[in-house]
Amino acid sequence: TVGQLLVVVGSELGACTATLIGPDTAITNSHCFDLSDKNKTPQSLCQSGASLVFASNSASGREVVECDSVLLKSKIAASDDQGTIEPDYMILKLKRPMNHRGFEKFSFAGMMDGLKVEVRKVDPIKQGLGSLIVESCEVLHKTALLPSANESLAPVHIISRCSITEGNSGSSLFDASGKIRGLVFATV
């Protein structure tokens, strides 16, 4: 259910990770479509140069599906004077259903300090395009980097004990029951 999202604008390539949340629906980050060509909209980028490459080491094997449209996109906002950062997410409709892959469900229980989560990501640099990587992480609250992230329902949390690199944006964080609890959107 996890794939590498590739967005092409002219000679510029953007890479993020996306997860199926329905047969023809995937979730990733809004900033994945925030490329330098400001004349392009997320909708036009989706229709003219975005594809999801599913992991070659999954049970269904390597597979590519194009993006059809942007269903929902959060506004990308800078942090305010209190250090609060807005969530960064985007829901994509794919050009064809991927019923054979299944899809993931959400938990809205929040992220508690010390919660063990698993990040499922695709790292095109180290493993080759389309290889799935799974790592364990832990949620940290009350850090100097993000003092406002000390409540379970805060929009942004810090995770530790897992490596996040360029191209991991949009990777889903799964709890022990296998439900999505959040998305990776930055590395510090």
Side-chain angles (χ1 to χ4, degrees), residues 11 20 26 53 74 135 137 165 173 183-184:
S11 62
L20 287 175
V53 179
S74 69
E135 286 185 351
C137 312
T165 62
L173 298 168
L183 298 175
V184 169

Side-chain angles (χ1 to χ4, degrees), residues 37 49-50 56 59 72 81 101 115 118 129-130 140 145 160 166 177:
D37 187 347
S56 59
L72 183 64
D81 59 351
R101 290 195 171 272
L115 178 70
E118 182 178 272
L129 186 61
L140 297 177
L145 294 172
S160 72
E166 192 171 339
S177 68

Side-chain angles (χ1 to χ4, degrees), residues 4-8 45-46 49-53 64-67 94:
Q4 186 78 63
L5 176 66
L6 300 175
V7 181
V8 180
L45 287 173
C46 192
S51 296
L52 192 53
V53 179
V64 178
V65 63
E66 293 176 333
C67 180
L94 304 176

Side-chain angles (χ1 to χ4, degrees), residues 40-164:
K40 296 279 189 176
T41 65
Q43 194 69 30
S44 68
L45 287 173
C46 192
Q47 294 171 344
S48 66
S51 296
L52 192 53
V53 179
F54 286 95
S56 59
N57 58 341
S58 69
S60 298
R62 185 180 215 138
E63 188 172 12
V64 178
V65 63
E66 293 176 333
C67 180
D68 180 66
S69 59
V70 175
L71 298 176
L72 183 64
K73 180 182 183 302
S74 69
K75 185 174 129 183
I76 299 174
S79 62
D80 63 22
D81 59 351
Q82 297 177 341
T84 305
I85 302 172
E86 296 297 317
D88 179 355
Y89 60 89
M90 182 165 47
I91 310 292
L92 304 172
K93 180 169 177 47
L94 304 176
K95 284 197 174 179
R96 62 185 166 88
M98 309 297 287
N99 294 320
H100 58 288
R101 290 195 171 272
F103 57 90
E104 306 298 344
K105 296 181 180 182
F106 290 93
S107 168
F108 296 98
M111 303 274 258
M112 290 65 69
D113 188 42
L115 178 70
K116 306 290 189 240
V117 291
E118 182 178 272
V119 63
R120 297 180 192 165
K121 58 189 179 173
V122 179
D123 189 339
I125 298 167
K126 293 182 181 175
Q127 298 292 326
L129 186 61
S131 295
L132 179 66
I133 301 167
V134 178
E135 286 185 351
S136 296
C137 312
E138 184 177 336
V139 175
L140 297 177
H141 281 183
K142 300 178 185 175
T143 65
L145 294 172
L146 194 59
S148 61
N150 58 7
E151 296 179 16
S152 65
L153 296 177
V156 177
H157 299 270
I158 290 181
I159 57 172
S160 72
R161 299 193 176 135
C162 56
S163 61
I164 302 298

Side-chain angles (χ1 to χ4, degrees), residues 9 12 33-39:
V9 178
E12 190 175 4
F33 280 50
D34 189 29
L35 300 174
S36 62
D37 187 347
K38 299 305 178 193
N39 295 320

